[in-house]
Amino acid sequence: MGCGASASAKEKGEKTNETSAGQPLLESAEKSAEAAAAQPAAQPAEELPATGSKALRVLVIRSSPRPDGHSNKVTSEFVNGLKAKLPDADVVEWLLEEKTDIPDFGQAIINGKGADGTEAEKALWQQGVKIIDEFKSFDLYVVGSQMWNFAVSPKLKNLIDVLLATGHTFEYVDGAPKGLLVGKRVLFVCAHLGSYPNGGLDNDFQLPYLKYIWNLMGVSEQKDIPIIAYKGDDADTEPLEQARALVKDWA
């Protein structure tokens, strides 16, 4: 009897253990099935809209105050041809003689970069940053420049002084400047009264200077159209042809 009772208890215990051990597994499986049923049905992958090429953004900088000036005439020839070729291009013009939101570069705007600058100086610097950010948003620059006293005009020089800001258009790496506007292009349309041998390095402080500045900012793909204004009515003939050729082959 004792043995029989013990065996029955053992069998009962085993059945009890089986039930208690198996119950959580059963509940877990049921819960997993319920959770799976509660999940939303898999949706087909959403198709992304087709992306076309980004419209070219072009900034035209005109420093000459004369609408009929040589640099303006040739610049217009290139820009009008570009618009005809690329009608979706976003073309913006800065007429420096009329553009009033470029701050005057000087000690005040320099002070505005620092923590000790006055509110007026900081506001001046922020206005400069706004100009820089807009400038950086373009893909192609077209710079029409007339020579004044062997160099660029004061308005163009002031714009350049505002644009050359470390951390914005260039930075220093191991003590050497590195341009930040990589992948952009520039065309210089430069009018002057004489011809300048040796690449203009002796007495031309216009085109070599402009090339250096844009290269400093990282714009290494450069083209230029020189205009020798003393040729009179024939001064623009060849430059206009060059402008049309650049529209066809480079723009």
Side-chain angles (χ1 to χ4, degrees):
M1 289 291 294
C3 289
S6 177
S8 299
K10 182 178 180 182
E11 290 175 1
K12 185 177 180 181
E14 287 174 352
K15 289 180 180 178
T16 302
N17 289 341
E18 286 174 2
T19 303
S20 60
Q23 185 66 26
L25 293 175
L26 179 60
E27 289 178 356
S28 177
E30 288 175 347
K31 288 180 180 179
S32 297
E34 290 173 359
Q39 291 295 326
Q43 299 295 322
E46 181 181 353
E47 278 192 25
L48 295 175
T51 54
S53 58
K54 183 171 69 79
L56 183 71
R57 299 202 73 224
V58 183
L59 176 60
V60 183
I61 301 173
R62 298 180 186 263
S63 68
S64 174
R66 294 176 51 191
D68 62 342
H70 296 286
S71 64
N72 279 331
K73 188 183 298 184
V74 176
T75 294
S76 294
E77 185 72 17
F78 176 83
V79 172
N80 292 336
L82 179 70
K83 289 179 179 178
K85 180 181 179 180
L86 303 173
D88 293 333
D90 181 15
V91 180
V92 176
E93 300 228 9
W94 286 2
L95 280 63
L96 297 187
E97 286 293 325
E98 301 175 8
K99 191 170 175 60
T100 59
D101 58 343
I102 301 174
D104 290 333
F105 186 82
Q107 192 59 51
I109 194 172
I110 294 173
N111 292 345
K113 299 180 184 181
D116 296 333
T118 66
E119 290 303 314
E121 290 169 339
K122 289 180 180 179
L124 200 62
W125 165 240
Q126 288 305 315
Q127 183 59 32
V129 171
K130 183 178 178 181
I131 292 294
I132 294 169
D133 287 343
E134 185 178 0
F135 177 84
K136 289 163 59 177
S137 71
F138 293 94
D139 308 300
L140 171 62
Y141 306 102
V142 182
V143 183
S145 171
Q146 81 286 14
M147 178 181 282
W148 281 0
N149 297 325
F150 302 98
V152 300
S153 71
K155 292 283 188 180
L156 182 52
K157 178 61 167 63
N158 182 73
L159 172 62
I160 290 170
D161 287 339
V162 171
L163 294 176
L164 289 184
T166 53
H168 292 268
T169 52
F170 74 101
E171 62 184 353
Y172 284 100
V173 178
D174 296 328
K178 177 184 177 182
L180 298 177
L181 307 188
V182 178
K184 301 177 185 292
R185 299 178 294 158
V186 62
L187 167 63
F188 301 112
V189 180
C190 293
H192 45 257
L193 285 175
S195 57
Y196 297 90
N198 192 25
L201 297 178
D202 294 332
N203 48 11
D204 178 359
F205 306 104
Q206 179 196 35
L207 181 56
Y209 171 71
L210 291 172
K211 285 183 169 183
Y212 177 82
I213 293 299
W214 259 259
N215 191 64
L216 176 66
M217 294 189 290
V219 186
S220 58
E221 186 174 347
Q222 304 181 355
K223 299 288 185 181
D224 63 89
I225 302 177
I227 308 168
I228 303 176
Y230 75 79
K231 291 183 178 180
D233 295 338
D234 296 330
D236 300 327
T237 302
E238 185 177 347
L240 289 171
E241 292 176 357
Q242 292 178 342
R244 289 188 285 268
L246 282 175
V247 169
K248 179 181 178 182
D249 301 329
W250 183 68

